[in-house]
Amino acid sequence: MCGILGQMSNSHIDENKFKKTLSLIDHRGPDDHGVYFDENIAFGHTRLSILDLSNHGHQPMISEDENYILIYNGEVYNFEEIKEELENKGYEFYSHSDTEVILKGFIEYQEQIVDKLNGMFAFAIYNKLNGDVFLARDRSGIKPLYYFKDNDNFAFSSEIKTLKSFSSKINLDAKILFLLLGSVPEPMTIYEEVFIFPAGQYAYYSKGVLKLTKYDEYKYEPKIVKPYQEIVKDVSDLLHKSIKRHLISDAPIGTFLSGGLDSSAITAIAAQYKDNLQTLSLVFEEKDLSEEYYQDLVVDRYKTNHTKYLIDEKLFLETIDEFINSFDQPTIDGLNTFFVSKAARESGLKTVLSGVGGDEIFYGYSSFKNAKKLNFLTKIPYALIKILQQSHKYKKLELLQLENDLAMYLPTRGVFTPTEIARLLDIDRRYVYKTIVKLWETYNTSHIASLDDKVSSFELNMYMKNQLLRDTDVFGMASSLEIRVPFLDKELVDYVLRIKSEEKYDANINKIILADATRSLLPNEVIDRPKMGFTLPFEYWFRKNIDKFQIDSIVKEKFLNKQLHWSRVWALLVLNKFGVEE
C-alpha cells in the first residue's frame, strides 16, 4: 500500500521540486521511497511494505531489460495464480511481491492484464520503447488516482494535494454536488482542472493524448436460478475464499470490529484462518450509542487479541483540526475511520479488514426500502407533493421532480435540496438542476431492470465509491494504515449482484443472505439485532461545543433548536475549508 506520483512534461522537470512534492504523501508510504527520471518524465513512489518486506519490492520497479517502469498502489490477492501462469510462459521472478507480477503481466498481456487482477489497485507503467504511459484503476475504485492534463503537462497522483500546483481553482459544480450528496462524485474533484481517473478503466497516455477505456463494471444479469439454500452455501464459500485471500500479508494484520453483522462476519471467518487474530473496536461512554455488548460477544467466542479504543469528547476536540486538515476533498463522513485507523496503527497493525461493501451488495440500507415508496410517490401529481414539501420532514421530496431514477434515490441520500443549494451558493436553481442532470449522465441506470438493482448501482458507484471508499483510503493512509475490503472481492460481488432481489429481503432480518451464510459462526444476538450504523456520539459533542466552530448564527440557532440535522451543519463547516462562506 503506497503513494504514487507521476509527471510527463514538454519541458524540463525539476528533480528537487518533484521530490519535494512526493514528500507530501510520505504518510502513504513511510517505509521506502523511490524516484525515476528519464528526459521529460518523472515517477515517484512511497511504500508501505505489506507483501515482501525486502528491497525486492522497491519501486519504481524496472523490468530486467529496463524498458518498462512501474509505480503501483494496492494489493492483488490472486497474484500467486497469475505468477504461476507467467512462470509457465518462461518468466522468472526475483521477489514475492504482487508488484513484479503486474509488471511482467503487462509485458506479456498488455492492457488485458487488468482483466486478470482481483484486488485493489491504481498503477502506471512507462514504456521506454514508445514513450507511452499505461494507467489503470480497479473496478470499485478502492484505490485512488487523480490527474491533471493540459497542453504542456500530464500529472497523476494518489492524492490531490500533489496536483494543486497545477490547478487550485474551486469547481462550482463540485460544490453543488457536495451539498447534494455529501461528497464530490467522480470524475470531478473540488478543483476545476483536477480529475479522478475513473474506476474500472485503463488508459494510454501517448503524444499528449489520454485515451480512456472502460474494461469492467458491476453487472446484475443474468440472474442466478438456484434453490435458496444453495445460494447461501455459495455465498458462504465465496466469503471464506475472499477473506482467506485478504489475510495474505507479511505485516501485522487484523480486523475492525464494530459489532454489526458485516464486521462480525469478517472477524468470525478470519478467525478460522488466523490464530490469535487481532481485532479493534471503538468504544465510548455514551452507552445509548455503544455497540460494545455485541463486540464482546464476538471477541469472547473467538478469543481474539482485542483492543478497545475509547473515544470521548476531549479526544474529539483535541483531534478535530487534525481530522479536517487530513482531507483534500470535502466529505461529511470519515470521522469513524479517522479514529479507528489511528487506533489500529497505535496498536501495531499495518493492515486491517473492513466491512465496507456489505450493505451495498446485500441490500442493507434503508434506501432500498425507501425507493419503493418514492417510486409510488412519483406517480402522484407533483402539485400534491409540493404541499408535503412544506413540512421540514418532507422537503427533500422536491427531488421527486427529477425525470430519472435519481428521484427514487436522492430523497434518501441527499443532504440539501436544490432550492437550498441555490440559496446557499447564491446561484440560479435552474443551474443546480442542470448539474444534477449531468450527474445522471455519469451514473445512468436506465440499462438496469430492477428498481432494487438500480439503487444498488447508485450505492456502489455513487455513495460507496465517492464517499466510503475515498474516506477509507484518505483517513486510513493518514495513519499509514492499509484497509482491505473483502466484501468487494471480484468473485463475491459478481455472484451476489446476480442474486434475485426477492432473495435478499426478510421482514425481520436485515441482509438475510449474509445472516444465513454466517449464522453458524455468530451469536444470535448479532444476527438478529436491528441495523445500527457505525457511528459516534458526534452530534452530542458537536452541539455541546458549537461555539468553538465558525458557523453562521442563523444556522447555529436552527441546529441548537433541532430544526437542522447535524450532518447539514457539518457539511457547511467542511465546505468553508474550500473557500465557501455560508
Side-chain angles (χ1 to χ4, degrees), residues 150-169:
D150 64 10
N151 292 331
D152 297 313
N153 288 283
F154 173 62
F156 59 88
S157 178
S158 297
E159 294 195 13
I160 299 173
K161 61 170 64 78
T162 59
L163 302 176
K164 282 182 66 177
S165 61
F166 295 104
S167 173
S168 58
K169 185 178 179 183

Side-chain angles (χ1 to χ4, degrees), residues 143-389:
K143 289 291 98 186
L145 187 61
Y146 301 94
Y147 71 93
F148 166 87
K149 182 185 174 301
D150 64 10
N151 292 331
D152 297 313
N153 288 283
F154 173 62
F156 59 88
S157 178
S158 297
E159 294 195 13
I160 299 173
K161 61 170 64 78
T162 59
L163 302 176
K164 282 182 66 177
S165 61
F166 295 104
S167 173
S168 58
K169 185 178 179 183
I170 298 294
N171 183 340
L172 175 60
D173 288 2
K175 291 190 291 188
I176 290 169
L177 293 177
F178 168 72
L179 290 173
L180 178 73
L181 301 168
S183 62
V184 179
E186 296 186 6
M188 69 177 61
T189 73
I190 195 65
Y191 301 109
E192 235 174 48
E193 295 178 293
V194 177
F195 298 93
I196 301 174
F197 191 95
Q201 297 199 25
Y202 67 76
Y204 283 98
Y205 178 76
S206 179
K207 298 179 176 62
V209 176
L210 181 70
K211 185 178 180 182
L212 288 151
T213 302
K214 180 187 288 187
Y215 71 87
D216 201 1
E217 62 183 347
Y218 298 119
K219 297 180 179 67
Y220 295 86
E221 304 289 344
K223 290 301 183 188
I224 293 168
V225 181
K226 277 187 176 184
Y228 179 78
Q229 288 306 322
E230 285 188 30
I231 290 173
V232 170
K233 174 68 166 56
D234 289 345
V235 169
S236 175
D237 291 344
L238 288 167
L239 270 172
H240 279 259
K241 281 178 66 178
S242 172
I243 291 167
K244 187 177 181 181
R245 274 197 287 251
H246 280 72
L247 287 169
I248 296 171
S249 175
D250 295 322
I253 188 168
T255 69
F256 288 153
L257 179 58
S258 70
L261 177 58
D262 298 339
S263 67
S264 297
I266 288 172
T267 298
I269 295 173
Q272 315 296 304
Y273 301 104
K274 190 166 184 64
D275 294 334
N276 196 32
L277 178 70
Q278 286 187 256
T279 52
L280 185 83
S281 297
L282 299 184
V283 296
F284 33 85
E285 294 162 348
E286 288 80 358
K287 295 302 179 185
D288 57 325
L289 292 177
S290 177
E291 298 185 81
E292 193 171 356
Y293 169 73
Y294 301 101
Q295 297 162 3
D296 288 346
L297 288 174
V298 177
V299 169
D300 290 345
R301 175 173 286 202
Y302 292 103
K303 309 302 180 201
T304 65
N305 180 9
H306 190 59
T307 300
K308 294 182 179 181
Y309 194 80
L310 177 66
I311 308 294
D312 58 17
E313 183 182 331
K314 180 174 180 290
L315 183 63
F316 164 72
L317 293 173
E318 288 174 349
T319 56
I320 195 65
D321 287 341
E322 180 188 348
F323 167 72
I324 292 173
N325 291 332
S326 65
F327 57 79
D328 48 16
Q329 285 243 81
T331 175
I332 62 166
D333 206 353
L335 192 61
N336 301 326
T337 307
F338 173 78
F339 279 124
V340 79
S341 297
K342 283 176 72 72
R345 207 60 171 96
E346 287 177 19
S347 70
L349 290 169
K350 264 193 173 182
T351 312
V352 292
L353 307 190
S354 163
V356 171
D359 284 309
E360 287 79 3
I361 66 172
F362 291 108
Y363 297 5
Y365 289 129
S366 61
S367 55
F368 290 95
K369 294 176 182 176
N370 291 348
K372 295 175 177 61
K373 301 172 188 173
L374 293 167
N375 189 36
F376 170 77
L377 288 175
T378 60
K379 311 295 191 290
I380 295 174
Y382 189 67
L384 296 176
I385 298 297
K386 287 188 78 171
I387 297 172
L388 279 176
Q389 278 175 228

Side-chain angles (χ1 to χ4, degrees), residues 457-476:
S457 179
F458 289 139
E459 292 290 13
L460 284 163
N461 291 301
M462 197 179 297
Y463 176 61
M464 182 189 75
K465 181 174 64 179
N466 295 325
Q467 187 159 305
L468 296 185
L469 288 176
R470 190 179 300 165
D471 289 348
T472 293
D473 176 80
V474 169
F475 300 120

